[in-house]
Amino acid sequence: ANVTLFLFFFFYLGTGSSILSALQDLFWLSKSKVEKQLQIISVLQWVLTFLIMGVACTLILMYILCTDCWAIAALYLAWLVFDWNTPKKGGRRSQWVRNWAIWRYFRDYFPIRLVKTHNLLTTRNYIFGYHPHGIMGLGAFCNFSTEATGVSQKFPGIRPYLATLAGNFRMPILRDYLMSGGICPVNRDSIDYILSKNGSGNAIIIVVGGAAESLNCTPGKNSVTLKNRKGFVKLALRHGADLVPVYSFGENEVYKQVIFEEGSWGRWVQKKFQKHIGFAPCIFHGRGLFSSNTWGLLPYSKPITTVVGEPITIPKIDNPSQREVDFYHSIYVDSLIKLFDKYKSKFGLPETEVLEVN
């Protein structure tokens, strides 16, 4: 436990190799044990960020306003007002943050892999449809908001923007942390700006199933919420952005969740949260911090392999009709199913496995 706490403060700085060397000398630990500790800490910090960082930073800022250091909080709030619209204009990514050593340990914990199947032209813009959501979208974050799996090397000249709930960008500190990784709000203003006023070579990653899909994710189940999700297709048509299906094998395997049946009180509460707040509270668990045999917030270390499919060429139509939206949506659904069927056996699924599209 003491080693874990020390590593938490130590491994953000410097390179992975220098950290391992220093820690081995200090604690007489084997390289594999040190690496495992670093992997656990890297995932733990992201889980805590996902769950509590926004609320925690808001409360801390309010507390500082009531202390002798109130001027620090006041200056940040003034900056927040001045910088309020930055998330809607592509954010403020940092290659330094995207290349932190912590993300490589995050990647290796599962491990997470990114598979490229086709080249992407830098003269085009893209909307990636990411499936499935899982509990936290761990594969989406690692692959597209960090450089741990080499997204910039595999798709040179393409700038990925992972789209997430706009409410996250109203939280102090959290908003800046998210923007540093190239994360943007999943709303029309932000997407319109990136696809129309930010040149070409942009790829917006939208987790299409959203909160509704997260309610049904469970190990051993491959299902996506897509039949009535057509807004991303309409956006692609309005901007002439090519659609790219993306499937992440193993995303549903890293947490176990209590699934409430339709009509139950639990599902009613989840749907009310989803409708009014934008996210659905899930009752889930992974493994414990010090043992994989206990329950906790850490995900299980199951492989996640994200496969980026073939781009679908989309024409630019300023005001697409519903018929046009439906047509390209059906092409997208067929492409996603073909992608799943082509790679399912390579990543541990039987040939008989069928992708359920809801």
Side-chain angles (χ1 to χ4, degrees):
N2 291 334
V3 172
T4 301
L5 291 173
F6 181 85
L7 296 178
F8 184 80
F9 295 102
F10 190 76
F11 84 131
Y12 276 94
L13 304 176
T15 64
S17 59
S18 64
I19 293 168
L20 286 175
S21 177
L23 291 175
Q24 281 180 260
D25 292 341
L26 184 60
F27 292 110
W28 299 85
L29 294 174
S30 68
K31 181 178 180 180
S32 61
K33 288 183 178 179
V34 173
E35 285 184 334
K36 190 61 180 177
Q37 291 285 330
L38 293 173
Q39 291 168 12
I40 289 173
I41 295 167
S42 67
V43 175
L44 176 63
Q45 68 83 30
W46 169 245
V47 170
L48 294 178
T49 295
F50 183 90
L51 294 176
I52 66 171
M53 183 177 178
V55 173
C57 288
T58 301
L59 293 175
I60 291 171
L61 198 65
M62 292 173 62
Y63 171 76
I64 293 175
L65 280 171
C66 301
T67 68
D68 292 339
C69 298
W70 64 268
I72 297 173
L75 284 172
Y76 178 80
L77 290 174
W79 160 252
L80 192 62
V81 172
F82 174 79
D83 194 55
W84 191 252
N85 289 323
T86 298
K88 299 178 183 178
K89 297 180 179 179
R92 188 170 46 246
R93 74 174 57 220
S94 165
Q95 286 303 117
W96 176 67
V97 173
R98 287 175 61 89
N99 281 287
W100 274 352
I102 184 176
W103 308 130
R104 296 194 291 276
Y105 293 110
F106 183 99
R107 171 199 66 198
D108 293 340
Y109 173 86
F110 298 91
I112 296 174
R113 289 178 55 208
L114 179 65
V115 176
K116 169 186 174 180
T117 63
H118 291 77
N119 292 325
L120 299 181
L121 299 174
T122 58
T123 55
R124 300 286 293 173
N125 283 323
Y126 301 90
I127 293 180
F128 287 17
Y130 184 93
H131 314 268
H133 184 287
I135 294 292
M136 297 185 185
L138 294 164
F141 170 78
C142 184
N143 285 307
F144 301 112
S145 292
T146 80
E147 295 296 331
T149 56
V151 63
S152 293
Q153 286 72 45
K154 292 177 180 176
F155 299 103
I158 302 298
R159 292 180 299 277
Y161 293 86
L162 177 60
T164 188
L165 289 175
N168 289 323
F169 296 89
R170 301 187 187 102
M171 300 285 190
I173 311 300
L174 175 64
R175 67 189 293 276
D176 301 288
Y177 189 36
L178 295 179
M179 283 194 291
S180 67
I183 300 178
C184 68
V186 62
N187 58 33
R188 181 169 172 174
D189 289 343
S190 177
I191 294 172
D192 283 346
Y193 182 91
I194 293 170
L195 295 179
S196 63
K197 299 179 181 179
N198 201 42
S200 60
N202 302 292
I204 298 179
I205 297 87
I206 299 177
V207 186
V208 178
E213 191 172 85
S214 69
L215 296 179
N216 295 314
C217 70
T218 187
K221 185 174 183 180
N222 288 283
S223 67
V224 296
T225 302
L226 183 56
K227 280 184 179 178
N228 297 315
R229 299 296 175 104
K230 301 180 180 180
F232 73 106
V233 178
K234 189 172 184 178
L235 281 169
L237 286 165
R238 289 181 63 245
H239 294 285
D242 293 349
L243 288 171
V244 182
V246 179
Y247 197 85
S248 217
F249 294 90
E251 185 72 62
N252 285 347
E253 308 300 315
V254 296
Y255 279 111
K256 296 179 181 178
Q257 179 183 191
V258 176
I259 305 293
F260 293 102
E261 297 294 330
E262 290 293 338
S264 65
W265 67 270
R267 183 52 63 100
W268 179 84
V269 170
Q270 288 176 324
K271 287 187 172 181
K272 286 295 182 182
F273 266 83
Q274 179 189 337
K275 180 179 179 180
H276 297 292
I277 301 178
F279 76 93
C282 302
I283 299 177
F284 65 92
H285 74 83
R287 52 155 289 182
L289 179 59
F290 301 109
S291 171
S292 59
N293 297 320
T294 58
W295 287 11
L297 290 177
L298 280 176
Y300 293 105
S301 52
K302 304 286 186 179
I304 299 175
T305 305
T306 302
V307 183
V308 180
E310 182 178 4
I312 303 165
T313 302
I314 302 294
K316 189 177 187 303
I317 305 174
D318 290 335
N319 293 295
S321 65
Q322 189 60 50
R323 184 177 180 180
E324 290 167 326
V325 172
D326 291 343
F327 174 73
Y328 285 101
H329 181 267
S330 66
I331 293 176
Y332 177 86
V333 173
D334 289 342
S335 296
L336 178 64
I337 293 173
K338 288 177 182 177
L339 180 71
F340 178 84
D341 288 340
K342 182 177 180 179
Y343 288 93
K344 60 186 178 183
S345 61
K346 295 181 181 180
F347 303 118
L349 298 178
E351 282 291 347
T352 55
E353 185 74 17
V354 176
L355 179 61
E356 181 183 330
V357 180
N358 300 313

